[in-house]
Amino acid sequence: MTAATSAEAGRAAEPAGGHRATGPGAVLPGAQIPEGQGMGRVRLVQIYRIGSAVLGALLLAAFVQTGMAMYGNEQARDVLIERVDPATLEQFRLSTAVTGQDIAIRAYAEEGGREHVEQYRAAVRQEAASAARMRRLLAGVPGHGDVDRLLAKATADSRAWRAGFADRIAAGPGGQGVARGESRLATRLLVQARGDMTPLQAGLTEMHDRAAAKLNSRAMTAQWSTFAALAMVVVAALLLAVLFRRTVLTPVSSLTGRVRAVSEGDFGHRLDVPGPAEINELAAIIDAMRARIIEEWRTSEDKSRRLDEQTEELRRSNAELEQFAYVASHDLQEPLRKVASFCQMLERRYGDQLDDRGKQYIAFAVDGAKRMQALINDLLSFSRVGRMSRPEDSVDLDEVVRQALDNLSTLREETGAEVEVAELPDVAGDRTQLVQLFQNLVGNAIKFRREGVPPRVTIDVRRAGDEWEFGCADNGIGIDPRYADRIFLIFQRLHSREEYTGTGIGLALCKKIVEYHGGRIWLDTGEPAEPDAEAAPGTTFRWTLPAQPSTGSGDDAEESTAEGTGDGDD
């Protein structure tokens, strides 16, 4: 690993969610990696390249020596078995052929018969063939010159015997015997020819001994060369193992132990591991990461400490806010009730003494006090979400919607509103807050109706993975899509108080309730579900709530259609 390529270590692994977490690199630049000492100056590739070259040369020399020894052994074997031994056999055939010639020719001289002449001539041919084969087999064999001279002398004496005796007898009529003087001459020539066979045999024996000795020497050389080659292979394997252990295994094992010590909490344990250059670089890079971890840990500790302080401050602030809410719900509302009460008493007692302007002033004061009370109550409800809740594991939303519609029964009767509700699932949450959620959405849908058109509200639901997606659609006045985000902000109104009453907290409260339950809410800016003119323009609010793992399958297949809900200015 080089400093250039090790910069990839700065990247964090991509988690299962598909978001890649990245951060600044924690690796030393190449110029800051400390230079190694001794073996640390040499790179592994150089060590193994030189070691491989040396061991390869030694192994090549051993195998070449073994090959040459085995080749010489094979040549010596060929000389002995394929040439000297067959030549020795031909010498015996040669001697046998000379003896056969004498027997055949004497038989012809005593008995006659042409078959003896044919035997004689066959023996002559056998002698010539054996002599020629011996010369051919021994050609090039060390020491073959002496054997060739002895063979030439033996064949010459044999020819002299045939010329002085055998050929002359074979040319005669046969069966007349051999004269005494002629027999003595023939015997002398034959003994001389046979006597040549003894030195010839001795020369061949000497040649055989030399070839056998050379074969034994070459075989021994081949054997020791093979042992040497095997020993060289074993030594090379041992050297490679020692080299690999000293240059890789030992440094990596040491580095592993030190990294384990760091992973177990000993962050002050330095990673100065001796070894080749690559191990030094790896140790320096991991040590830089260790230092970075220590720095990040210290920073995290500082942030955690500050976060604890901020949490404590937030807890104190929340306690003060709760105290303020208590004061607002009791101490502030009491003066408002008194203002409204005494203004109404003034109107009843002194109404006949006031002109129209005075009565109007009193009405303004009463109305302002009542709106202030409504605003305080709404703010209290908004602040209680998430703080004063009683969550349940399973809440029947059908019952929740029925309770919300009961709370809106008077408004529904006055406006002739129709509310259609699909079969709703059970969810986990706070029953009171869920009732407030549906009551606000349905109440807005009825309040922001079109003039002369009876309100129509539809509540439906469908399964979307691990969530339930709800919809509340109406046929009211609709909302401009450019206000889709603004309507969920607190105190945001799209209409004046003269047109529609309210404090502008309703949809902000709905958003806070949905988010507290782990969902989200938005304005559906698509086309209304019903194409007829009566349904247009209408508004649709959609929101999600987490589904329970054991939810029944009956609701899973339900699909909702967008039909519009209330304006949401409240």
Side-chain angles (χ1 to χ4, degrees):
M1 179 186 297
T2 63
T5 59
S6 61
E8 299 294 330
R11 302 180 187 173
E14 183 173 353
H19 301 288
R20 182 180 296 275
T22 59
V27 182
L28 289 174
Q32 297 184 16
I33 295 179
E35 185 177 358
Q37 301 294 329
M39 185 179 291
R41 296 175 179 270
V42 185
R43 306 191 72 82
L44 280 174
V45 65
Q46 297 172 339
I47 295 175
Y48 286 107
R49 189 174 294 167
I50 296 174
S52 298
V54 172
L55 294 178
L58 293 176
L59 291 176
L60 179 62
F63 286 129
V64 168
Q65 174 64 26
T66 303
M68 292 178 63
M70 296 183 68
Y71 177 73
N73 178 71
E74 189 67 22
Q75 282 189 322
R77 177 183 175 280
D78 290 342
V79 168
L80 179 62
I81 297 177
E82 301 297 334
R83 305 181 74 174
V84 176
D85 285 347
T88 303
L89 179 61
E90 291 300 329
Q91 186 272 329
F92 284 110
R93 289 178 179 174
L94 177 65
S95 178
T96 302
V98 172
T99 302
Q101 293 175 34
D102 179 61
I103 294 172
I105 201 63
R106 287 186 179 275
Y108 177 69
E110 294 293 335
E111 301 175 5
R114 300 305 299 177
E115 66 277 7
H116 295 296
V117 175
E118 291 300 327
Q119 291 176 1
Y120 165 72
R121 297 193 185 282
V124 172
R125 290 194 297 272
Q126 177 64 40
E127 177 188 355
S130 296
R133 181 172 175 77
M134 286 179 64
R135 293 188 182 95
R136 186 170 65 254
L137 289 172
L138 297 178
V141 177
H144 72 91
D146 294 338
V147 175
D148 286 346
R149 286 192 297 272
L150 293 173
L151 178 60
K153 185 176 184 303
T155 55
D157 289 343
S158 178
R159 284 194 302 271
W161 171 75
R162 287 195 301 272
F165 174 71
D167 288 344
R168 185 171 56 79
I169 296 298
Q176 299 179 359
V178 180
R180 183 179 296 278
E182 187 176 15
S183 177
R184 286 197 297 271
L185 176 63
T187 299
R188 181 176 59 80
L189 294 174
L190 182 60
V191 169
Q192 185 175 357
R194 285 180 176 176
D196 293 337
M197 296 300 171
T198 299
L200 177 60
Q201 185 176 1
L204 286 172
T205 300
E206 183 180 356
M207 182 180 290
H208 181 277
D209 292 342
R210 286 197 303 269
K214 186 175 182 179
L215 176 60
N216 290 333
S217 176
R218 295 291 178 84
M220 188 63 66
T221 302
Q223 183 178 0
W224 283 108
S225 298
T226 302
F227 289 156
L230 291 176
M232 189 67 68
V233 170
V234 173
V235 171
L238 292 176
L239 289 177
L240 281 176
V242 171
L243 182 65
F244 186 74
R245 180 179 179 83
R246 293 194 61 184
T247 58
V248 176
L249 294 182
T250 300
V252 170
S253 177
S254 177
L255 180 61
T256 301
R258 300 187 182 210
V259 171
R260 183 180 294 110
V262 173
S263 67
E264 291 174 354
D266 186 7
F267 293 140
H269 202 89
R270 292 188 59 82
L271 305 178
D272 48 348
V273 178
E278 289 87 348
I279 303 297
N280 284 340
E281 291 181 8
L282 180 60
I285 291 170
I286 297 178
D287 198 53
M289 296 174 63
R290 177 191 63 85
R292 175 64 182 276
I293 291 173
I294 293 175
E295 180 184 353
E296 292 293 336
W297 174 68
R298 289 172 178 169
T299 303
S300 177
E301 285 291 315
D302 293 340
K303 291 181 178 179
S304 178
R305 178 180 53 78
R306 290 196 298 268
L307 182 60
D308 290 341
E309 294 175 354
Q310 292 174 357
T311 302
E312 184 62 28
E313 178 65 21
L314 183 60
R315 187 179 295 110
R316 185 188 61 79
S317 176
N318 285 338
E320 293 178 353
L321 287 176
E322 290 180 2
Q323 182 66 24
F324 169 77
Y326 176 80
V327 171
S329 61
H330 295 81
D331 299 347
L332 291 182
Q333 293 197 52
E334 180 61 26
L336 289 175
R337 283 194 294 270
K338 286 186 177 180
V339 169
S341 249
F342 279 102
C343 286
Q344 291 172 345
M345 290 175 64
L346 283 173
E347 184 179 11
R348 285 195 299 271
R349 177 168 297 186
Y350 303 104
D352 55 350
Q353 302 177 19
L354 298 175
D355 57 6
D356 292 338
R357 185 176 296 274
K359 294 179 181 180
Q360 185 181 20
Y361 289 163
I362 291 177
F364 286 160
V366 172
D367 179 67
K370 290 181 178 180
R371 284 193 291 108
M372 178 63 73
Q373 285 181 323
L375 182 60
I376 290 174
N377 288 329
D378 289 344
L379 284 174
L380 286 173
S381 299
F382 187 82
S383 66
R384 288 191 183 108
V385 175
R387 295 191 302 107
M388 302 178 64
S389 60
R390 295 185 297 274
E392 301 177 24
D393 293 336
S394 180
V395 177
D396 185 358
L397 292 185
D398 289 327
E399 179 63 29
V400 166
V401 172
R402 279 194 293 271
Q403 184 176 348
L405 295 180
D406 287 344
N407 296 340
L408 296 171
S409 58
T410 302
L411 180 62
R412 290 166 53 203
E413 291 176 0
E414 292 175 353
T415 58
E418 297 180 5
V419 181
E420 298 179 3
V421 183
E423 184 177 354
L424 302 180
D426 294 350
V427 298
D430 183 283
R431 182 182 301 272
T432 302
Q433 294 180 8
L434 292 174
V435 170
Q436 195 169 16
L437 169 66
F438 282 95
Q439 181 174 330
N440 282 0
L441 291 174
V442 175
N444 278 1
I446 297 175
K447 181 173 67 173
F448 295 99
R449 61 189 178 275
R450 286 184 291 157
E451 187 69 27
V453 178
R456 182 180 177 185
V457 184
T458 302
I459 299 176
D460 52 24
V461 65
R462 71 180 183 91
R463 185 67 176 262
D466 295 335
E467 296 179 323
W468 291 109
E469 182 179 309
F470 298 86
C472 182
D474 65 33
N475 61 346
I477 61 175
I479 300 177
D480 192 330
R482 60 181 173 173
Y483 301 123
D485 295 328
R486 176 182 168 185
I487 57 177
F488 292 105
L489 299 178
I490 193 169
F491 299 136
Q492 295 297 313
R493 301 176 55 91
L494 301 183
H495 304 277
S496 64
R497 291 186 178 86
E498 288 74 16
E499 294 180 280
Y500 297 98
T501 61
T503 58
I505 297 179
L507 286 179
L509 181 60
C510 291
K511 183 174 184 291
K512 192 171 183 181
I513 292 174
V514 170
E515 290 179 349
Y516 169 74
H517 285 80
R520 56 192 179 90
I521 187 170
W522 69 95
L523 173 67
D524 189 346
T525 57
E527 294 295 329
E530 297 184 4
D532 56 286
E534 184 179 349
T539 306
T540 301
F541 281 102
R542 298 199 178 279
W543 70 98
T544 62
L545 293 176
Q548 292 179 317
S550 59
T551 302
S553 60
D555 295 330
D556 292 352
E558 294 188 15
E559 297 291 337
S560 66
T561 57
E563 293 193 11
T565 67
D567 190 333
D569 292 347
D570 192 10

